[in-house]
Amino acid sequence: MSEPIIAVERVTKQVRDASGPLTILHEIEFTLEARQSAAIVGASGSGKSTLLSIIAGLDTPTSGTVKLAGIDLFALGEDERAAVRAQKLGFVFQSFQLLANLTALENVMLPLELQGRHDARERATEMLGRVGLGERLRHYPRVLSGGEQQRVALARAFVVHPAVLLADEPTGSLDFATGEKVMELMFELNREAGTTLVLVTHDRGIAGRCDRQLRIEAGRLDVGEQLAM
């Protein structure tokens, strides 16, 4: 049997506030296989985004660990974790996280340039065409609509062919119709690239399209987690 692409092992996250320690996540444990899609669902404040950040190695657990393609992220230093992220992960955020002083093309080229790719411009141009923005290469984020900015963010995430794509409420700031188009594109690219997709969402329709739903309630993984039909 092949090794899971993601293995979350007894992850607990605590922080301290004025009243003392607060447990945000409590011994979360699950695995995902390559090419699977999973939705992390639950009420606001349940710890969904914190869990996504820990899977990415952007936040550190109080205890437990995450293995990405067999690599124990928290046995590594921060620079080593950053290198793993650059090689294996793509990110799509609700707020797009585009660099305002770079054009759409330059935003998508950036992760390729950080990898030292000599074909960055060609690959970025091709990916922007793939998401329907072939005529918007030289436009800056401020003149793009929300849906267009999110498509640039998708192109930037997929252009490096990541093993895992993490998305935090990717349609949260979009209207319904635009959000539907963006999610259709995300699932389409996910199928074509064979990328494992993990997304945080409040949208039951989006969650229902994933292979699995992981429900977080008060920082705990619901033991009644259901496979999506």
Side-chain angles (χ1 to χ4, degrees):
M1 186 173 178
S2 61
E3 189 167 38
I5 188 70
I6 297 172
V8 176
E9 301 178 353
R10 300 177 69 85
V11 162
T12 293
K13 178 67 176 181
Q14 288 185 330
V15 296
R16 298 189 69 86
D17 62 13
S19 61
L22 173 66
T23 300
I24 299 174
L25 297 171
H26 185 79
E27 294 199 342
I28 303 293
E29 193 161 57
F30 64 89
T31 61
L32 289 174
E33 303 300 324
R35 297 177 175 267
Q36 276 194 307
S37 58
I40 301 174
V41 299
S44 295
S46 60
K48 303 184 302 298
S49 292
T50 299
L51 176 57
L52 200 71
S53 292
I54 289 174
I55 293 172
L58 293 169
D59 195 0
T60 56
T62 305
S63 61
T65 196
V66 174
K67 291 182 179 177
L68 181 63
I71 300 170
D72 186 340
L73 291 181
F74 300 105
L76 305 176
E78 178 51 44
D79 288 346
E80 294 171 306
R81 282 201 298 275
V84 172
R85 282 195 295 271
Q87 294 168 5
K88 298 185 180 297
L89 294 179
F91 302 89
V92 179
F93 300 100
Q94 178 177 340
S95 57
F96 315 136
Q97 298 285 343
L98 300 178
L99 296 177
N101 62 327
L102 298 183
T103 64
L105 179 61
E106 290 166 343
N107 266 282
V108 179
M109 287 173 61
L110 184 60
L112 294 168
E113 291 175 328
L114 292 174
Q115 290 183 349
R117 297 292 303 248
H118 298 297
D119 59 348
R121 180 173 296 273
E122 179 184 348
R123 290 186 62 179
T125 300
E126 180 182 355
M127 183 56 73
L128 281 166
R130 179 68 187 79
V131 300
L133 293 176
E135 303 300 317
R136 307 286 263 167
L137 303 181
R138 293 175 177 80
H139 289 73
Y140 290 90
R142 65 179 178 273
V143 299
L144 299 176
S145 69
E148 287 172 333
Q149 290 185 59
Q150 193 61 296
R151 281 187 279 159
V152 173
L154 272 179
R156 182 181 60 188
F158 274 104
V159 76
V160 293
H161 296 154
V164 176
L165 178 71
L166 305 176
D168 192 358
E169 295 286 0
T171 63
S173 59
L174 304 176
D175 64 77
F176 177 79
T178 303
E180 284 287 295
K181 291 177 182 177
V182 165
M183 286 310 306
E184 185 59 43
L185 179 61
M186 181 176 291
F187 280 110
E188 185 177 330
L189 291 171
N190 170 248
R191 288 190 300 269
E192 290 179 4
T195 299
T196 301
L197 174 63
V198 184
L199 59 91
V200 166
T201 184
H202 284 96
D203 189 312
R204 292 183 180 181
I206 293 172
R209 296 179 63 179
C210 293
D211 299 322
R212 297 178 66 185
Q213 295 182 39
L214 304 168
R215 180 169 296 279
I216 306 295
E217 294 187 357
R220 296 176 184 269
L221 182 63
D222 184 356
V223 294
E225 130 184 44
Q226 298 292 318
L227 293 179
M229 300 300 291

